[in-house]
Amino acid sequence: MTQVMRIDSITTEQAAVRDLIAIHLAGMHASSPPENVFALDLSGYAKPNLTLWGAWRGEALAGMIALQRLSATQGEIKSMRTHPDHLRLGIARLLLDHVIDVARGEGIRRLSLETGRGDAFEPALTLYRARGFVNGDAFSDYKPSDFSQFLHLDLA
């Protein structure tokens, strides 16, 4: 694994962040039916209950992940994406572990996420399950579908 120099809070005002969000959106649209693309656009990151972090290798943004706080005790993982130039280096694992640690520190008792099905989603699903996430019911405003699946990690 190549060492990540730092994980910092990031904003959409940074060009590298906007570029990675564009890559993420393109990937979600390429791998998901249109009605099942729940990835945030640039405006979605302005929510006061959402924090976006980036993993940096030197000056390069290697990956990103967001935590949306749904309540005082439930959080949702959004926008986990590794930049294509930094795949298979453990970036996603470091970011996921960071968000789990932050959530625990904030007293969040349950982390949830929505993701899709198919080959494009398998690496992330493997990581989520390795960290203890299990499939479960839809949450928040999501509706069950043949494409979406919902994973949860109890932190309590």
Side-chain angles (χ1 to χ4, degrees):
M1 180 188 84
T2 301
Q3 185 171 345
V4 171
M5 300 283 295
R6 69 188 187 280
I7 296 176
D8 290 331
S9 178
I10 56 177
T11 72
T12 59
E13 294 181 15
Q14 298 164 276
V17 174
R18 289 190 308 272
D19 292 346
L20 188 52
I21 289 170
I23 290 169
H24 182 61
L25 282 170
M28 292 299 92
H29 284 281
S31 304
S32 308
E35 68 274 11
N36 291 106
V37 176
F38 301 112
L40 300 173
D41 61 14
L42 284 177
S43 67
Y45 295 98
K47 298 176 184 179
N49 64 333
L50 186 137
T51 304
L52 180 62
W53 289 276
W56 298 88
R57 293 181 61 220
E59 296 304 311
L61 180 60
M64 67 179 188
I65 194 168
L67 172 62
Q68 182 169 300
R69 292 144 186 98
L70 302 176
S71 71
T73 59
Q74 185 172 10
E76 178 182 4
I77 292 175
K78 299 289 291 182
S79 306
M80 188 169 78
R81 174 65 63 164
T82 300
H83 191 283
D85 293 343
H86 303 276
L87 292 173
R88 295 178 223 354
L89 299 175
I91 305 297
R93 180 176 47 80
L94 289 171
L95 285 165
L96 181 59
D97 289 348
H98 178 79
V99 167
I100 291 170
D101 289 345
V102 167
R104 276 195 176 108
E106 291 182 7
I108 291 174
R109 300 175 57 104
R110 186 175 215 204
L111 277 177
S112 301
L113 63 97
E114 180 278 336
T115 193
R117 299 178 191 277
D119 293 343
F121 298 93
E122 284 306 314
L125 285 164
T126 298
L127 175 60
Y128 293 134
R129 290 184 177 122
R131 290 296 184 263
F133 284 82
V134 296
N135 284 68
D137 293 335
F139 65 98
S140 189
D141 296 331
Y142 294 108
K143 305 288 185 246
S145 74
D146 291 338
F147 184 77
S148 289
Q149 52 186 318
F150 308 97
L151 283 79
H152 307 281
L153 175 66
D154 288 323
L155 300 174

